[in-house]
Amino acid sequence: MSQSLFADAMTRLDKALQHVSISPEAIERLRYPKASLSVSIPVRLDSGELKVFQGYRVRYDDTRGPTKGGIRYHPNVSLDEVQSLAFWMTFKCAAIGIPFGGAKGGIAVNPKALSRMELERLSRGYIDAIADFIGPDTDIPAPDVYTNATIMGWMMDQYSIISRRFSPAVVTGKPTAIGGSLGRETATAMGAYFVIRSLMTKHQKLPQVTTVAIQGFGNAGAVLAQLLYEAGYKVVAVSDSKGAIYNPQGLDIPSVRAYQQAHKGIEAVYCEESVCNLGDRQLLTNSELLTLDVDVLVPAALENQITLANAHEVKAKFIFEVANGPVNSAADLILQQNGVCVVPDILVNSGGVTVSYFEWLQNRSGLYWSLEDINQRLQEKMEAETSQIIDLAEELSLSLRTAAYVHALKRLAAAIEAKGTQQYFAQS
Ligand code: NAD
């Protein structure tokens, strides 16, 4: 049987532990989630039928602050997946240096099969079930795969109804009309863009000669494609759950996005005003996209996309993990041997949680920032932490993944040890 996602995630911790000296108690603390909740959510469908969905919320570690993490709607959601994502969130918040611990939630559901009203009842039902587990000072959800600002708005509203007070800080990624932050929807992609730009500049790769393939054309992948396109990169392939489009000359990303918004799919089109014409393109599968001969590969869909089965076929020189956990630990070894530079999820996609932190700060202070302020602060944070992780990798001859974990681990261990260690209590 293949190893669980969580067991695989723990191997990254074990690897980082070889390069940092921290108390055994802190290590022990980080091996287990603080609390896990499984709930069933009964939903009355439009047909009148009652259907029960399975939901989860895991709070992994709150030593550095309230726990933070998105909510995923996907048929494959399981406790193992949610726990792994909560573990990654813990290390992500520590790596990027924001005062949050890690959590994650999810519902095993195909949201595309539900009407909008059914989706609202499911989202409110989920909050009814987990309301005692979350809160502005304890655990703060956000969007993830197949959840969005509207769903976050329903969740915040439901929590406010239950707690009998307007509680915008309980959820981030809300619509701006009810306390959402400017720039939140583009934050993950923009953060990833700053990381890519830092690395490409360091390796003296100019955008005009850099080809990019992106798996996943959702909130994170499509916005990143746009930012890279605007900066002059050649985005040659993008995909959604149905498959990929590829043009070695580069795709016209604004037109692909316009087409996607109108048709709920992707096509290599060139649009003028509202008229879109099909351009040259090859259709590929998602697995073919992963092995294209490009400079930069961006997995921005789901976990476990590059594994023992296909890692040796990857031709890209750089992989930027916008998705959480797209490369498993067995693939890491092969990619490293083949000289592929993998820039880890806990750094690359941390722009989302960083602007979620800004949203939470704004909700709590009641003072709202301009988009320029938000993007400026995001850029400063992403570039500063990226540079520290690169320096650490060079200083200790580590992969960027292990360096990012070591960087995070130092902050986590300091917080755990600040509460007292065996050594401290043994002193007379
Ligand atoms: P999304 O739901 O907006 O988009 C997901 C995209 O992946 C869609 O284009 C979908 O068609 C595609 N997809 C789904 N199944 C696929 C498959 N089997 N093969 C290829 N493509 C597939 O989700 P998102 O918010 O863009 O999140 C994408 C990834 O980024 C996830 O791993 C998520 O955890 C991670 N992430 C997102 C955020 C955020 O703020 N949105 C923050 C951090 C990390």
Side-chain angles (χ1 to χ4, degrees), residues 265-292:
I266 55 172
E267 253 310 347
V269 287
Y270 181 77
C271 302
E272 231 170 322
E273 306 272 312
S274 59
V275 182
C276 294
N277 292 312
L278 193 64
D280 283 343
R281 53 96 175 100
Q282 227 177 300
L283 295 178
L284 304 177
T285 62
N286 261 293
S287 33
E288 285 167 336
L289 177 142
L290 296 174
T291 57
L292 279 176

Side-chain angles (χ1 to χ4, degrees), residues 11 19 32 56 68 78 80 108-109 128 157-158 163 174 203 210 234 241 245 255 258 305 310 338 347 393 397:
T11 63
H19 305 280
Y32 305 94
Y56 308 93
K68 187 89 193 75
S78 64
D80 176 51
V109 58
D128 286 342
D157 185 51
Q158 191 63 21
S163 60
K174 304 174 290 291
H203 288 268
T210 306
K234 246 207 261 181
S241 58
I245 49 173
S255 297
Q305 298 301 299
N310 59 356
N338 292 348
L347 171 66
S397 300

Side-chain angles (χ1 to χ4, degrees), residues 30-287:
L30 289 169
R31 288 196 187 281
Y32 305 94
K34 179 184 172 78
S36 307
L37 184 66
S38 293
V39 294
S40 52
I41 312 151
V43 176
R44 182 76 53 200
L45 302 182
D46 295 344
S47 64
E49 181 197 346
L50 187 83
K51 190 161 179 184
V52 180
F53 295 89
Q54 200 61 39
Y56 308 93
R57 185 79 190 164
V58 174
R59 300 184 61 215
Y60 198 87
D61 183 82
D62 66 350
T63 320
R64 298 183 61 259
T67 51
K68 187 89 193 75
I71 294 170
R72 176 173 292 195
Y73 287 0
H74 194 276
N76 297 344
V77 162
S78 64
L79 188 57
D80 176 51
E81 181 187 62
V82 173
Q83 182 169 309
S84 310
L85 288 159
F87 167 84
W88 286 321
M89 280 306 296
T90 303
F91 280 80
K92 189 184 303 181
C93 293
I96 199 70
I98 56 175
F100 282 141
K104 205 77 181 189
I107 303 177
V109 58
N110 175 9
K112 292 178 190 166
L114 297 186
S115 71
R116 283 184 155 240
M117 300 271 283
E118 289 168 341
L119 214 49
E120 180 182 358
R121 291 196 283 273
L122 175 68
S123 305
R124 289 184 185 273
Y126 177 67
I127 294 302
D128 286 342
I130 67 162
D132 294 331
F133 207 64
I134 60 171
D137 292 312
T138 46
D139 179 29
I140 306 131
D144 190 67
V145 174
Y146 294 143
T147 54
N148 57 21
T150 306
I151 294 175
M152 294 307 114
W154 294 332
M155 291 185 170
M156 186 279 274
D157 185 51
Q158 191 63 21
Y159 184 84
S160 297
I161 291 169
I162 293 168
S163 60
R164 296 201 172 272
R165 56 180 64 87
F166 183 63
S167 307
V170 70
V171 170
T172 59
K174 304 174 290 291
T176 49
I178 48 174
S181 177
L182 295 173
R184 175 60 186 87
E185 287 202 322
T186 51
T188 302
M190 193 165 280
Y193 170 71
F194 292 135
V195 178
I196 294 174
R197 194 175 66 177
S198 298
L199 262 290
M200 291 298 107
T201 306
K202 185 175 164 51
H203 288 268
Q204 296 170 341
K205 291 278 298 175
L206 291 173
Q208 293 73 16
V209 292
T210 306
T211 52
V212 184
I214 302 180
Q215 184 200 38
F217 205 65
N219 183 24
V223 179
L224 178 59
Q226 176 88 26
L227 292 170
L228 291 170
Y229 172 88
E230 284 168 5
Y233 288 87
K234 246 207 261 181
V235 182
V236 296
V238 298
S239 70
D240 65 10
S241 58
K242 297 186 197 82
I245 49 173
Y246 171 54
N247 181 335
Q249 305 311 314
L251 296 161
D252 183 63
I253 297 299
S255 297
V256 179
R257 290 188 78 199
Y259 182 92
Q260 185 197 35
Q261 265 154 24
H263 299 90
K264 289 201 183 320
I266 55 172
E267 253 310 347
V269 287
Y270 181 77
C271 302
E272 231 170 322
E273 306 272 312
S274 59
V275 182
C276 294
N277 292 312
L278 193 64
D280 283 343
R281 53 96 175 100
Q282 227 177 300
L283 295 178
L284 304 177
T285 62
N286 261 293
S287 33

